[in-house]
Amino acid sequence: MYKKRMISSLLSVALLSAPLFPGKGAAEAIFSDIDGSYAKDAIIQLAQAGIINGVQEGIFNPTGKLKREDFAIILAKALKLDVSNAPAAPTFQDVPPSSYAYTYVEAAVKAGIIQGTGNGAFGAGQSLSRQDMAVLYVRALGVDTTGKSAALTFADNDQISDYAKDAIGAAVELGLITGVGNNTFNPREQVDRQAVAMISTAFLKKQDTTRNSGQSQSQSEQQTKPQPTPEPVVSTDPVVSSSGSGRRNHGDTTSPTVDVSKFTAIDNYNGTPDQLTGAAGTVAEANVAVQAYLWSDQNANNIVDATELGAAISLGTSAADGSVAAANIGDLAAGSYTFVVTATDASNNESARDAAHAVTVV
């Protein structure tokens, strides 16, 4: 039986025009049980970005508790960690390679975010506590937490584990998390799925702010730092004879061209990933990597920001005629999805991740 939704065989090349958060009907098309959740908008945003999933088709279970391994998956997706190079031997005895969360947990370990619960265990199957959520999110931001616990004024400060106090102080200062009422933090309370969604959106915004702030500071330092006078350098680059111009070849810096209008969606059966395929001429170069990023236009401004893109989905490589073979983009639930499709050549030149490279699947 085909899915109740329909994916058009010809993708719309028009820019994403839907509002950031769809209305009630569109929300129910994603999850039928979030209409009364305080985190409804956050849940929709993260689902559209491919960061969170439901517990089954059409069901999110907003008040259900979140397991530690599921949080690792959310972290890895939010940070766009590379999950393709997981080690053969597991870091934790309770997260074997057969676990659905194995590659995500290992990616977070490699990034220095997850350290486990001790004695070689990750704590798989255990629900996530508020204090551990704060620790992991602050660690992912890479901020200095030294002495931050001094500002905590919760009545239950003495119930917060020592390892988490500075991180919670930093999380409160950053606006990631607050108390639960009556001036308490309740550090060991198990967080539910809607709370994680709400705090995850705050984390993504803070991550973007931190990154931009760091870039601005670096640029400012570069501008104000005295630059030494460079010594004369004799170049050994080969001279390219091009109409007698004498220009030097400094390598390939031109990214491949992608014609997104040549992509077609393939709607498969329930439980089977849907696909994208590109006709001849989709990519202007042969044998270059093609990838798709799920895009959620959070600012509703038709501008692709880095934090609005999901993790890269490999579509394989372009053929000699520039075509792209059918590749999986996920078992999509009912709704409208927009992907930004780019190509990357051997010199690591990637076409622009912008709205001009967006295709919409309905």
Side-chain angles (χ1 to χ4, degrees), residues 186-242:
N186 203 358
R188 302 179 192 279
E189 179 186 19
Q190 299 172 346
V191 294
D192 57 24
R193 292 167 56 80
Q194 62 186 345
V196 171
M198 198 72 180
I199 297 173
S200 293
T201 55
F203 165 77
L204 288 172
K205 291 177 182 178
K206 185 59 64 175
Q207 181 190 31
D208 188 40
T209 301
T210 302
R211 182 189 300 112
N212 291 338
S213 175
Q215 291 175 345
S216 298
Q217 181 178 357
S218 176
Q219 292 171 355
S220 176
E221 291 174 351
Q222 289 295 325
Q223 291 171 355
T224 58
K225 181 179 179 180
Q227 299 296 318
T229 302
E231 298 180 2
V233 177
V234 178
S235 175
T236 58
D237 290 345
V239 176
V240 177
S241 175
S242 177

Side-chain angles (χ1 to χ4, degrees), residues 2 9-10 16 20 24 39 44 51 67 77 82 95 101 117 146 166 168 212 222 225 298-299 324 327 357:
Y2 281 98
S9 59
L10 295 177
L16 181 64
L20 172 58
K24 180 178 179 181
I44 295 172
I51 295 175
K67 290 182 172 57
K77 288 183 176 180
D82 181 7
V95 187
T117 57
T146 305
D166 280 342
I168 291 174
N212 291 338
Q222 289 295 325
K225 181 179 179 180
Q298 299 169 13
N299 299 322
V324 180
H357 290 90

Side-chain angles (χ1 to χ4, degrees), residues 4 29 35 40-42 44 77 114 145-146 153 175 222 255 270 278 314 322 335-336 340 345 357:
K4 293 180 181 179
D35 201 47
K40 171 184 172 181
D41 287 349
I44 295 172
K77 288 183 176 180
I114 286 178
T145 64
T146 305
T153 59
Q222 289 295 325
S255 58
N270 283 325
S314 175
S336 177
V340 173
D345 62 19
H357 290 90

